[in-house]
Amino acid sequence: GGFVDVGETVETAVKRELMEEMGVDLQQHQRIKLFGVYSDPRRDNRRHTVSAVFAVHLDADIHPHAADDVKDVQRIPLADIEKHQYFADHK
């Protein structure tokens, strides 16, 4: 996860964050898909934030790795997404 820089679209931020945090360089033709938006003001006691969650298909020959402030990276099939625990209200 990360924040959107001033003047940046959320889609551009997703691509930048994937590169910074997992070393994944999405090509122009790779489509990111909006998975959900989480905006309840009470969802994070630190401050009010809005999360836009995206999904992207990565080919088997792309190997994400933990970089920047990421502790671990796991591939999760979209069909299994509901079986895992995420930040606060990401379900």
Side-chain angles (χ1 to χ4, degrees), residues 49-87:
T49 58
V50 174
S51 293
V53 179
F54 289 84
V56 63
H57 172 79
L58 296 178
D59 292 333
D61 63 339
I62 296 175
H63 303 285
H65 61 276
D68 195 28
D69 59 352
V70 174
K71 182 179 175 182
D72 187 31
V73 176
Q74 297 178 17
R75 283 185 182 257
I76 300 172
L78 197 52
D80 294 345
I81 209 90
E82 297 289 331
K83 299 175 185 174
H84 297 272
Q85 195 71 9
Y86 303 99
F87 177 79

Side-chain angles (χ1 to χ4, degrees), residues 1-16:
F3 292 94
V4 178
D5 291 338
V6 173
E8 185 177 51
T9 67
V10 292
E11 293 83 3
T12 300
V14 168
K15 293 176 181 181
R16 176 181 51 76

Side-chain angles (χ1 to χ4, degrees), residues 3-50:
F3 292 94
V4 178
D5 291 338
V6 173
E8 185 177 51
T9 67
V10 292
E11 293 83 3
T12 300
V14 168
K15 293 176 181 181
R16 176 181 51 76
E17 289 289 341
L18 281 171
M19 176 54 92
E20 289 175 3
E21 298 189 359
M22 293 189 281
V24 172
D25 185 12
L26 288 184
Q27 303 302 316
Q28 294 268 346
H29 65 276
Q30 281 181 286
R31 208 179 102 206
I32 58 174
K33 181 178 175 169
L34 182 63
F35 186 79
V37 175
Y38 304 89
S39 62
D40 185 335
R42 299 162 299 180
R43 64 187 287 268
D44 187 343
N45 9 354
R46 297 171 295 179
R47 64 179 165 204
H48 182 195
T49 58
V50 174

